[in-house]
Amino acid sequence: MIVTLTANPSLDRTVELGGPLERGEVQRAVSVRQESGGKGVNVARALRASALETLAVLPGDAGDPVLAGLSATGVPFVALPIGAPLRSNVALTEPDGVTTKVNEPGPELSSELQEQLLSLLVDRARGATWVVLAGSLPPGVPEDFYATAAQRLRAAADGSAPRIAIDSSGAPLAASLKGKPELLKPNADELAELAAMVGLHDAGTPAELEASPERAAKAARALVDAGVGAVLATLGSKGAVLVTADGAWYATHSPIKAVSTVGAGDSSLAGYLLADSIGADAEGRLRQAVAHGAAAASLPGSTVPAANQTTPSAVNITAL
């Protein structure tokens, strides 16, 4: 089983525009979609779509629209009541796939609620193969929350501890390095920032990392050398790089028509975990990650693909 923790879940509304976004103007939407979201929730949705056993752990009161959405789609979850509504996010997608997002901060979690959420996670993660700690942190939560969660999960393990995957951004992602995750999934912006943090000051800009898989692999290698088990760096339309202690690989997908990039990175992580669950090697895990990300980008809103909607055969992999 794979357990996900989403500390700051959301109700994601995706508004599809008929033309380019025009600031200060009135535009009509072509369509509007609404899904329960947040990175960990999206990963759980994608795993569930492929019939892999999963459980989403998140804060939220009974009847909250986010929880109602999970119930309606059959995603197993356990929620900690917090006495406040969860946030809403809005994404505006243009015909060429360019996406503009406006994310609310979310409800504040007191130190007591934080402790209860950690305890709930540790209890429900017993026997899990992976625990995914993902997304932003709500107000009031310290930036090292994911590192603390990783340490608590390992300390509470009766036998083998679950492997930890982390997908966040900014200060929470940087602080998560202290948790020594088995897998880190940054994008190019996050990879550049993290590489500089661990001493690789010539890592390059995000654009340079996307343009050069060799530079991206070098930056990811710095994180592996710093104690991260593996780095799956997603590079937008340029593909992805996977670096482990045993090697580095670069993967690209044949061109697709991008509809919405919302949740594509989350689907990439889900694809990686799906491949891992059937014993795939590093190249196989990277192949499915890129196939899942490409499939997600070709679907509307934050729709997540099932494995049978992906095309691993369209992924080309190069050893670096």
Side-chain angles (χ1 to χ4, degrees):
M1 181 175 68
I2 297 175
V3 174
T4 70
L5 171 67
T6 309
N8 203 16
S10 59
L11 187 67
D12 289 347
R13 299 182 69 246
T14 303
V15 179
E16 180 185 354
L17 300 176
L21 177 65
E22 299 178 27
R23 293 183 61 193
E25 300 297 327
V26 175
Q27 293 178 258
R28 296 188 181 277
V30 173
S31 67
V32 178
R33 297 180 63 89
Q34 181 169 287
E35 286 122 350
S36 300
K39 285 183 174 296
V41 166
N42 290 341
V43 171
R45 288 170 52 222
L47 295 174
R48 176 66 173 174
S50 295
L52 190 66
E53 185 180 7
T54 186
L55 177 70
V57 178
L58 68 162
D61 295 345
D64 190 280
V66 174
L67 304 188
L70 290 176
S71 295
T73 54
V75 176
F77 70 90
V78 58
L80 174 72
I82 58 173
L86 297 172
R87 63 182 178 146
S88 295
N89 295 336
V90 177
L92 304 175
T93 62
E94 302 175 47
D96 62 356
V98 172
T99 302
T100 303
K101 297 185 68 177
V102 180
N103 292 349
E104 294 182 6
E108 184 170 349
L109 294 187
S110 66
S111 57
E112 181 180 359
L113 288 173
Q114 293 169 37
E115 179 60 32
Q116 291 176 10
L117 186 60
L118 284 173
S119 296
L120 181 62
L121 172 67
V122 169
D123 179 63
R124 294 308 181 100
R126 298 186 191 281
T129 54
W130 283 92
V131 172
V132 178
L133 309 173
S136 63
L137 295 176
V141 178
E143 61 188 35
D144 64 351
F145 185 75
Y146 288 143
T148 299
Q151 293 161 0
R152 290 276 293 272
L153 286 162
R154 293 182 181 123
D158 296 328
S160 59
R163 287 172 286 173
I164 307 297
I166 297 179
D167 182 8
S168 188
S169 60
L173 178 61
S176 75
L177 294 179
K178 295 185 294 183
K180 305 293 184 182
E182 279 76 16
L183 177 64
L184 202 66
K185 199 220 71 65
N187 60 25
D189 294 272
E190 295 151 0
L191 180 60
E193 182 179 355
L194 289 174
M197 280 187 52
V198 298
L200 186 63
H201 299 296
D202 62 344
T205 65
E208 289 171 334
L209 294 181
E210 289 188 354
S212 171
E214 292 79 13
R215 293 194 75 158
K218 181 180 179 181
R221 172 64 60 192
L223 300 179
V224 172
D225 291 343
V228 175
V231 176
L232 172 65
T234 51
L235 307 174
S237 63
K238 302 297 184 181
V241 164
L242 175 64
V243 176
T244 72
D246 299 320
W249 300 266
Y250 172 55
T252 57
H253 194 283
S254 59
I256 63 164
K257 176 176 173 52
V259 175
S260 171
T261 59
V262 179
D266 307 330
S267 288
S268 292
L269 177 52
Y272 181 100
L273 297 174
L274 279 167
D276 179 80
S277 72
I278 59 172
D281 61 10
E283 290 191 28
R285 298 194 299 271
L286 177 59
R287 183 182 303 279
Q288 192 59 53
V290 171
H292 251 77
S298 68
L299 296 171
S302 57
T303 305
V304 294
N308 62 9
Q309 294 176 287
T310 70
T311 51
S313 61
V315 177
N316 181 62
I317 295 182
T318 305
L320 298 175

